[in-house]
Coordinates of all heavy atoms in Angstrom, one line a residue:
T446 N 0.8 48.1 -16.0 CA 0.7 48.5 -14.6 C 2.1 48.7 -14.0 O 3.0 48.0 -14.3 CB 0.0 47.3 -13.8 OG1 -1.3 47.1 -14.4 CG2 -0.2 47.7 -12.3
E447 N 2.2 49.8 -13.2 CA 3.4 50.0 -12.4 C 3.0 50.7 -11.1 O 2.0 51.4 -11.0 CB 4.4 50.9 -13.2 CG 3.8 52.2 -13.7 CD 4.8 52.9 -14.6 OE1 5.7 52.3 -15.2 OE2 4.7 54.2 -14.7
F448 N 3.9 50.5 -10.1 CA 3.6 51.0 -8.8 C 4.8 51.9 -8.4 O 5.9 51.6 -8.8 CB 3.4 49.9 -7.7 CG 2.1 49.2 -7.9 CD1 2.2 47.8 -8.0 CD2 0.9 49.8 -7.9 CE1 1.0 47.1 -8.2 CE2 -0.3 49.1 -8.1 CZ -0.2 47.7 -8.2
S449 N 4.5 52.9 -7.5 CA 5.6 53.8 -7.0 C 5.4 54.0 -5.6 O 4.2 53.9 -5.0 CB 5.5 55.2 -7.8 OG 5.6 55.0 -9.2
A450 N 6.5 54.4 -4.9 CA 6.4 54.8 -3.5 C 6.1 56.3 -3.5 O 6.8 57.1 -4.2 CB 7.7 54.5 -2.8
Y451 N 5.1 56.8 -2.8 CA 4.7 58.2 -2.7 C 5.4 58.8 -1.5 O 4.9 58.7 -0.4 CB 3.2 58.3 -2.7 CG 2.5 57.8 -3.9 CD1 2.0 56.5 -3.9 CD2 2.5 58.5 -5.1 CE1 1.4 56.0 -5.1 CE2 1.9 58.0 -6.2 CZ 1.4 56.8 -6.2 OH 0.8 56.3 -7.3
L452 N 6.6 59.4 -1.7 CA 7.4 59.9 -0.6 C 7.5 61.4 -0.6 O 7.6 62.0 -1.7 CB 8.8 59.3 -0.7 CG 8.9 57.7 -0.7 CD1 10.3 57.3 -1.1 CD2 8.5 57.2 0.7
T453 N 7.6 62.0 0.6 CA 7.9 63.4 0.7 C 9.3 63.4 1.2 O 9.6 63.0 2.4 CB 7.0 64.1 1.8 OG1 5.6 64.0 1.3 CG2 7.4 65.5 2.0
C454 N 10.2 64.0 0.4 CA 11.7 64.0 0.8 C 12.0 65.2 1.7 O 11.4 66.3 1.4 CB 12.5 64.1 -0.5 SG 12.4 62.6 -1.5
I455 N 12.8 65.0 2.6 CA 13.3 66.0 3.5 C 14.8 66.1 3.4 O 15.5 65.2 3.9 CB 12.9 65.7 5.0 CG1 11.4 65.5 5.2 CG2 13.3 66.9 5.9 CD1 10.5 66.6 4.9
D456 N 15.3 67.2 2.8 CA 16.7 67.4 2.5 C 17.1 68.7 3.2 O 17.0 69.8 2.6 CB 17.0 67.4 1.0 CG 18.5 67.7 0.7 OD1 19.3 67.6 1.7 OD2 18.8 67.9 -0.4
N457 N 17.5 68.5 4.5 CA 17.9 69.7 5.3 C 19.1 69.4 6.2 O 19.0 68.4 6.9 CB 16.7 70.1 6.2 CG 16.8 71.5 6.8 OD1 17.9 71.9 7.3 ND2 15.8 72.3 6.7
P458 N 20.2 70.2 6.1 CA 21.4 69.9 6.9 C 21.2 69.7 8.3 O 22.0 69.1 9.0 CB 22.3 71.0 6.5 CG 21.8 71.5 5.2 CD 20.4 71.4 5.2
E459 N 20.1 70.3 8.9 CA 19.8 70.2 10.3 C 19.6 68.7 10.7 O 19.6 68.4 11.9 CB 18.7 71.1 10.8 CG 17.3 70.6 10.2 CD 16.2 71.5 10.6 OE1 16.5 72.7 11.1 OE2 15.0 71.1 10.5
N460 N 19.3 67.8 9.7 CA 19.1 66.4 10.0 C 20.4 65.6 9.8 O 20.3 64.4 9.8 CB 18.0 65.9 9.1 CG 16.7 66.6 9.4 OD1 16.3 66.9 10.5 ND2 16.0 66.9 8.3
D461 N 21.5 66.2 9.6 CA 22.8 65.5 9.4 C 23.1 64.6 10.6 O 23.1 65.1 11.7 CB 23.9 66.5 9.1 CG 25.2 65.8 8.6 OD1 25.1 64.6 8.3 OD2 26.2 66.4 8.6
G462 N 23.3 63.3 10.4 CA 23.6 62.4 11.4 C 22.4 62.0 12.2 O 22.5 61.4 13.3
L463 N 21.2 62.3 11.7 CA 19.9 62.0 12.5 C 19.8 60.5 12.7 O 19.9 59.7 11.8 CB 18.7 62.4 11.7 CG 17.3 62.3 12.3 CD1 17.2 63.2 13.5 CD2 16.2 62.5 11.3
A464 N 19.8 60.1 14.0 CA 19.6 58.7 14.4 C 18.2 58.4 14.8 O 17.4 59.3 14.9 CB 20.6 58.4 15.5
V465 N 17.9 57.1 15.0 CA 16.5 56.7 15.3 C 16.0 57.4 16.5 O 14.9 57.9 16.5 CB 16.4 55.2 15.4 CG1 15.1 54.8 15.9 CG2 16.8 54.5 14.1
D466 N 16.8 57.4 17.6 CA 16.3 58.1 18.8 C 15.9 59.5 18.6 O 14.9 60.0 19.1 CB 17.3 57.9 19.9 CG 17.4 56.5 20.4 OD1 16.5 55.7 20.1 OD2 18.4 56.1 21.1
A467 N 16.8 60.2 17.9 CA 16.5 61.6 17.6 C 15.3 61.8 16.7 O 14.5 62.8 16.9 CB 17.8 62.3 17.0
L468 N 15.1 60.9 15.8 CA 14.0 61.0 14.9 C 12.7 60.8 15.8 O 11.7 61.5 15.6 CB 14.0 59.9 13.9 CG 12.8 59.7 13.0 CD1 12.5 60.9 12.2 CD2 12.9 58.4 12.1
L469 N 12.7 59.8 16.7 CA 11.5 59.6 17.5 C 11.2 60.8 18.4 O 10.1 61.2 18.6 CB 11.7 58.4 18.4 CG 11.9 57.0 17.7 CD1 12.2 55.9 18.7 CD2 10.7 56.7 16.8
D470 N 12.3 61.5 18.9 CA 12.1 62.7 19.7 C 11.4 63.8 18.8 O 10.6 64.5 19.3 CB 13.4 63.2 20.3 CG 13.9 62.2 21.4 OD1 13.1 61.4 21.9 OD2 15.1 62.3 21.7
A471 N 11.9 63.9 17.6 CA 11.4 65.0 16.7 C 9.9 64.7 16.4 O 9.1 65.7 16.3 CB 12.3 65.1 15.5
I472 N 9.6 63.5 16.2 CA 8.2 63.1 15.8 C 7.3 63.3 17.0 O 6.1 63.7 16.8 CB 8.2 61.7 15.2 CG1 8.9 61.6 13.9 CG2 6.8 61.2 15.1 CD1 9.0 60.3 13.3
G473 N 7.7 62.9 18.2 CA 6.9 63.0 19.4 C 5.6 62.2 19.3 O 5.7 61.0 18.9
E474 N 4.5 62.8 19.6 CA 3.2 62.1 19.7 C 2.4 62.4 18.4 O 1.2 62.3 18.4 CB 2.4 62.6 20.9 CG 3.1 62.4 22.2 CD 3.3 60.9 22.5 OE1 2.4 60.1 22.1 OE2 4.4 60.5 23.0
S475 N 3.0 62.7 17.3 CA 2.3 62.9 16.0 C 1.7 61.6 15.5 O 1.9 60.5 16.1 CB 3.2 63.5 15.0 OG 4.0 62.5 14.4
L476 N 0.9 61.7 14.5 CA 0.2 60.6 13.9 C 1.1 59.8 13.0 O 0.7 58.8 12.3 CB -1.0 61.0 13.1 CG -2.2 61.6 14.0 CD1 -3.3 62.1 13.1 CD2 -2.6 60.7 15.1
L477 N 2.4 60.2 12.8 CA 3.3 59.5 11.9 C 3.7 58.2 12.5 O 4.3 58.2 13.6 CB 4.5 60.4 11.7 CG 5.5 60.0 10.5 CD1 4.8 60.2 9.2 CD2 6.8 60.8 10.6
H478 N 3.4 57.1 11.9 CA 3.7 55.8 12.4 C 4.9 55.1 11.8 O 5.3 54.0 12.2 CB 2.5 54.9 12.3 CG 1.4 55.2 13.3 ND1 0.4 54.3 13.6 CD2 1.3 56.2 14.1 CE1 -0.4 54.8 14.6 NE2 0.1 56.0 14.9
Y479 N 5.5 55.7 10.8 CA 6.7 55.1 10.2 C 7.4 56.3 9.4 O 6.8 57.3 9.1 CB 6.3 54.0 9.2 CG 5.5 54.5 8.1 CD1 6.0 54.9 6.9 CD2 4.1 54.5 8.2 CE1 5.2 55.4 5.8 CE2 3.3 55.0 7.2 CZ 3.8 55.4 6.0 OH 3.1 55.9 5.0
A480 N 8.7 56.1 9.2 CA 9.5 57.0 8.4 C 10.7 56.2 7.8 O 11.0 55.1 8.2 CB 10.0 58.2 9.2
F481 N 11.3 56.9 6.8 CA 12.5 56.2 6.1 C 13.7 57.2 6.2 O 13.5 58.4 6.0 CB 12.1 55.9 4.7 CG 10.9 55.1 4.5 CD1 9.7 55.6 4.2 CD2 11.0 53.7 4.7 CE1 8.5 54.8 4.0 CE2 9.9 52.9 4.5 CZ 8.6 53.4 4.2
L482 N 14.8 56.6 6.4 CA 16.1 57.3 6.5 C 17.1 56.9 5.5 O 17.3 55.7 5.3 CB 16.7 57.1 7.9 CG 16.0 57.7 9.2 CD1 16.7 57.3 10.4 CD2 15.9 59.2 9.1
V483 N 17.7 57.9 4.9 CA 18.9 57.6 4.0 C 20.1 58.0 4.8 O 20.4 59.2 5.0 CB 18.8 58.4 2.7 CG1 20.1 58.3 1.9 CG2 17.6 58.0 1.9
D484 N 20.8 57.0 5.3 CA 22.0 57.3 6.2 C 23.3 56.9 5.5 O 23.3 56.7 4.3 CB 21.8 56.5 7.5 CG 21.8 55.0 7.3 OD1 21.9 54.5 6.2 OD2 21.7 54.3 8.3
A485 N 24.4 56.9 6.3 CA 25.7 56.6 5.7 C 25.8 55.2 5.1 O 26.4 55.1 4.0 CB 26.7 56.7 6.8
E486 N 25.1 54.2 5.6 CA 25.1 52.9 5.0 C 24.4 52.9 3.7 O 24.8 52.3 2.7 CB 24.4 51.9 6.0 CG 24.1 50.5 5.4 CD 25.4 49.7 5.0 OE1 26.5 50.1 5.5 OE2 25.3 48.7 4.3
T487 N 23.3 53.7 3.6 CA 22.5 53.8 2.3 C 23.4 54.4 1.2 O 23.4 53.8 0.1 CB 21.3 54.7 2.5 OG1 20.5 54.3 3.6 CG2 20.4 54.7 1.3
V488 N 24.1 55.4 1.5 CA 24.9 56.1 0.4 C 26.2 55.4 0.1 O 26.7 55.6 -1.0 CB 25.1 57.6 0.8 CG1 23.8 58.3 1.0 CG2 26.0 57.7 2.0
S489 N 26.7 54.5 1.0 CA 27.9 53.9 0.7 C 27.7 52.4 0.2 O 28.7 51.9 -0.4 CB 28.8 53.8 2.0 OG 28.1 53.1 3.0
N490 N 26.6 51.9 0.3 CA 26.3 50.5 -0.1 C 25.7 50.5 -1.5 O 24.8 51.3 -1.8 CB 25.3 49.8 0.9 CG 25.1 48.4 0.6 OD1 25.1 47.9 -0.5 ND2 25.0 47.6 1.7
P491 N 26.3 49.7 -2.4 CA 25.8 49.7 -3.8 C 24.3 49.4 -3.9 O 23.6 49.9 -4.8 CB 26.6 48.7 -4.5 CG 27.9 48.6 -3.7 CD 27.4 48.8 -2.3
E492 N 23.7 48.6 -3.0 CA 22.3 48.3 -3.0 C 21.4 49.5 -2.5 O 20.2 49.4 -2.6 CB 22.0 47.1 -2.1 CG 22.3 45.8 -2.8 CD 21.6 44.6 -2.1 OE1 22.0 44.4 -0.9 OE2 20.8 43.9 -2.7
M493 N 22.0 50.5 -1.8 CA 21.3 51.6 -1.3 C 20.2 51.2 -0.3 O 19.1 51.7 -0.5 CB 20.8 52.5 -2.4 CG 21.9 53.1 -3.3 SD 21.2 54.2 -4.6 CE 20.3 53.1 -5.6
P494 N 20.5 50.4 0.7 CA 19.4 49.9 1.6 C 18.9 51.1 2.5 O 19.7 51.7 3.2 CB 20.0 48.8 2.4 CG 21.5 49.1 2.4 CD 21.7 49.7 1.0
I495 N 17.7 51.4 2.4 CA 17.1 52.5 3.1 C 16.5 52.0 4.5 O 16.0 50.9 4.6 CB 16.0 53.2 2.3 CG1 16.6 53.8 1.0 CG2 15.2 54.2 3.1 CD1 15.6 54.2 0.0
V496 N 16.7 52.8 5.5 CA 16.2 52.4 6.9 C 14.7 52.8 7.0 O 14.3 53.9 6.7 CB 17.0 53.2 8.0 CG1 16.5 52.7 9.4 CG2 18.5 53.0 7.8
A497 N 13.9 51.7 7.4 CA 12.5 51.9 7.7 C 12.4 51.9 9.2 O 12.9 51.0 9.9 CB 11.6 50.9 7.1
V498 N 11.7 52.9 9.8 CA 11.6 53.1 11.2 C 10.1 53.1 11.6 O 9.3 53.8 11.1 CB 12.3 54.4 11.7 CG1 12.3 54.4 13.2 CG2 13.7 54.5 11.2
Y499 N 9.8 52.2 12.6 CA 8.5 52.3 13.2 C 8.4 53.4 14.2 O 9.1 53.4 15.2 CB 8.1 51.0 13.8 CG 6.7 51.0 14.6 CD1 5.6 51.2 13.8 CD2 6.7 50.9 15.9 CE1 4.3 51.3 14.5 CE2 5.5 51.0 16.6 CZ 4.3 51.2 15.9 OH 3.1 51.3 16.5
T500 N 7.6 54.4 14.0 CA 7.5 55.6 14.9 C 6.2 55.7 15.6 O 5.9 56.8 16.2 CB 7.8 56.9 14.0 OG1 6.7 57.0 13.0 CG2 9.1 56.8 13.4
G501 N 5.4 54.7 15.5 CA 4.1 54.7 16.2 C 4.2 54.4 17.7 O 5.3 54.4 18.3
P502 N 3.1 54.3 18.4 CA 3.1 54.0 19.8 C 3.8 52.7 20.2 O 3.7 51.7 19.4 CB 1.7 54.0 20.2 CG 0.9 53.7 19.0 CD 1.7 54.3 17.9
D503 N 4.4 52.6 21.3 CA 5.0 51.4 21.8 C 4.0 50.4 22.2 O 3.1 50.6 23.0 CB 5.9 51.7 23.0 CG 7.1 50.7 23.1 OD1 7.4 50.0 22.1 OD2 7.6 50.6 24.2
E504 N 4.0 49.2 21.5 CA 3.0 48.2 21.8 C 3.7 46.8 22.0 O 4.8 46.6 21.5 CB 2.0 48.1 20.6 CG 1.3 49.4 20.3 CD 0.4 49.3 19.0 OE1 0.5 48.3 18.3 OE2 -0.3 50.3 18.7

Side-chain angles (χ1 to χ4, degrees):
T446 304
E447 56 185 24
F448 290 124
S449 303
Y451 298 97
L452 300 169
T453 298
C454 294
I455 306 293
D456 178 9
N457 194 315
E459 68 182 17
N460 300 317
D461 191 12
L463 184 70
V465 171
D466 289 343
L468 172 64
L469 297 179
D470 290 341
I472 290 174
E474 300 298 323
S475 77
L476 295 177
L477 192 68
H478 282 196
Y479 62 91
F481 303 100
L482 291 175
V483 173
D484 63 358
E486 171 67 14
T487 308
V488 300
S489 62
N490 189 320
E492 278 196 299
M493 298 184 292
I495 295 167
V496 184
V498 186
Y499 174 66
T500 61
D503 207 18
E504 300 174 355

